[in-house]
Amino acid sequence: MSEKPFKNEKDIHTDFMDDMTYGDYLQLDQLLSSQKRLSGHHDEMLFIIIHHVSELWLKLIIHETQAAITAIQQDELQASFKMLARVSKIQSQIIQAWDVLSTLTPAEYMEFRDKLGNASGFQSDQYRLVEFVLGYKTPHILKIYKKNPELYDTLLKAYEQPGLYDVSIQALARNGFAINPDVLNRDFSKTYQGDSSVEAAWLEVYRNVDEHWELYQLAEKLVDIEDWFQQWRFRHMKTVERIIGHKQGTGGSSGVGYLKQVLDHYFFPELWNIRTKI
């Protein structure tokens, strides 16, 4: 009985001797052979796959955010909204990944943690790229990647370029808002700290939504991304605390202590400040 539906599908291709298959297109041989455990412990596979999946989602976040930055620079705000909305959906998937990793108990992780050496998610170049395109710039982090000149150049380029919030502020200026020139011409390799002229501009947008509808939509897309990012950071911190407590991270960071510190950082500070003033 189970074969009948297949037999009735006369157009299904079964001869792939000379044609590309699904696995060929996705290079699944390479992808699925990348999970190489360094221990014999069953749960190391979970640990590797969770991080592989997260890195793939980070790659798509970077792809979409960089495209959104370009669209905003070209005043194609509607196009950027689709990309930024997709980023938010991706973030929800990464957050859920922590729920799966949380099934790893402290005793299980200790069975293979020593095999990681000094390797740590703290060193993820794609995570740093996400921070850079969102405008959070940390110069000392770049040293980690000097062993790979091509990767280092990619990160340095993103480090020196305007982030998503920078181009959004520039869009405010192009729409007639009086933005402090020091903000528009600032050194983009420095983390943005906030400015009263930017806050005044966003406050005007929120008080006159109909007049500034596209900028209002942009602002809310940015808030969505920051909201999800903070939830991701929180779930990361709690998952680490659940599995290793307050041990030092394998990469040398303070672990939970470091993760708690970054929870206080805002990428788009004025968009949160104005909520009290509207």
Side-chain angles (χ1 to χ4, degrees):
M1 293 293 291
S2 61
E3 293 184 359
K4 282 186 178 181
F6 181 78
K7 288 181 178 179
N8 292 335
E9 296 287 346
K10 297 179 180 179
D11 293 330
I12 290 179
H13 294 285
T14 57
D15 183 359
F16 287 93
M17 295 301 293
D18 299 312
D19 292 335
M20 178 177 66
T21 66
Y22 169 82
D24 294 334
Y25 173 66
L26 295 177
Q27 300 183 57
L28 290 182
D29 285 347
Q30 180 179 349
L31 179 66
L32 298 178
S33 63
S34 297
Q35 294 74 43
K36 302 184 187 300
R37 288 181 293 168
L38 298 181
S39 73
H41 198 273
H42 172 84
D43 293 305
E44 190 181 358
M45 184 64 75
L46 161 68
F47 190 80
I48 294 171
I49 288 178
I50 286 293
H51 288 86
H52 275 175
V53 170
S54 295
E55 288 293 335
L56 287 171
W57 281 131
L58 288 174
K59 183 173 184 176
L60 188 53
I61 286 176
I62 295 163
H63 176 73
E64 297 294 340
T65 306
Q66 288 178 333
I69 287 173
T70 299
I72 294 168
Q73 288 174 319
Q74 297 173 350
D75 288 321
E76 296 175 356
L77 296 189
Q78 289 294 331
S80 76
F81 297 158
K82 176 65 178 292
M83 300 162 189
L84 296 177
R86 182 174 291 163
V87 168
S88 293
K89 292 296 184 182
I90 297 166
Q91 289 174 298
S92 71
Q93 296 298 307
I94 296 182
I95 291 169
Q96 289 181 353
W98 293 122
D99 295 337
V100 183
L101 187 58
S102 291
T103 65
L104 181 68
T105 69
E108 290 163 346
Y109 183 46
M110 287 303 110
E111 291 291 328
F112 62 86
R113 189 182 190 233
D114 64 311
K115 299 297 184 182
L116 275 60
N118 291 323
S120 166
F122 185 84
Q123 299 144 16
S124 168
D125 56 275
Q126 291 201 122
Y127 177 76
R128 295 306 163 192
L129 266 177
V130 169
E131 286 192 329
F132 289 175
V133 296
L134 293 180
Y136 185 52
K137 310 294 179 71
T138 45
H140 63 282
I141 295 298
L142 287 170
K143 295 178 182 178
I144 294 172
Y145 312 103
K146 282 194 171 181
K147 67 179 292 184
N148 185 332
E150 184 177 351
L151 174 59
Y152 181 81
D153 288 344
T154 298
L155 285 162
L156 184 61
K157 183 178 180 182
Y159 178 78
E160 294 174 342
Q161 287 181 333
L164 179 61
Y165 198 44
D166 293 309
V167 299
S168 299
I169 293 172
Q170 291 167 0
L172 287 171
R174 289 195 299 274
N175 279 272
F177 289 94
I179 303 298
N180 182 351
D182 290 340
V183 173
L184 298 174
N185 301 311
R186 75 184 193 87
D187 180 355
F188 297 118
S189 68
K190 307 293 184 183
T191 298
Y192 180 74
Q193 298 298 325
D195 185 87
S196 59
S197 68
V198 175
E199 183 170 313
W202 284 126
L203 190 58
E204 176 68 17
V205 168
Y206 273 78
R207 284 175 172 168
N208 296 277
V209 171
D210 292 340
E211 185 179 350
H212 307 294
W213 177 244
E214 283 198 332
L215 290 171
Y216 172 73
Q217 286 182 290
L218 174 60
E220 284 297 289
K221 291 292 186 292
L222 297 179
V223 170
D224 286 342
I225 287 173
E226 176 137 43
D227 191 346
W228 281 113
F229 200 92
Q230 288 297 77
Q231 292 185 53
W232 183 89
R233 279 173 162 170
F234 179 79
R235 288 295 296 125
H236 184 189
M237 182 269 293
K238 293 306 294 183
T239 302
V240 171
E241 184 177 21
R242 175 172 177 156
I243 296 174
I244 68 167
H246 290 265
K247 293 185 182 73
Q248 186 179 57
T250 51
S253 76
S254 58
V256 169
Y258 170 80
L259 296 173
K260 283 184 176 180
Q261 289 176 27
V262 296
L263 281 174
D264 293 329
H265 173 261
Y266 285 91
F267 294 106
F268 321 129
E270 292 88 357
L271 291 176
W272 297 93
N273 293 342
I274 63 170
R275 280 159 159 73
T276 307
K277 301 179 179 181
I278 295 172

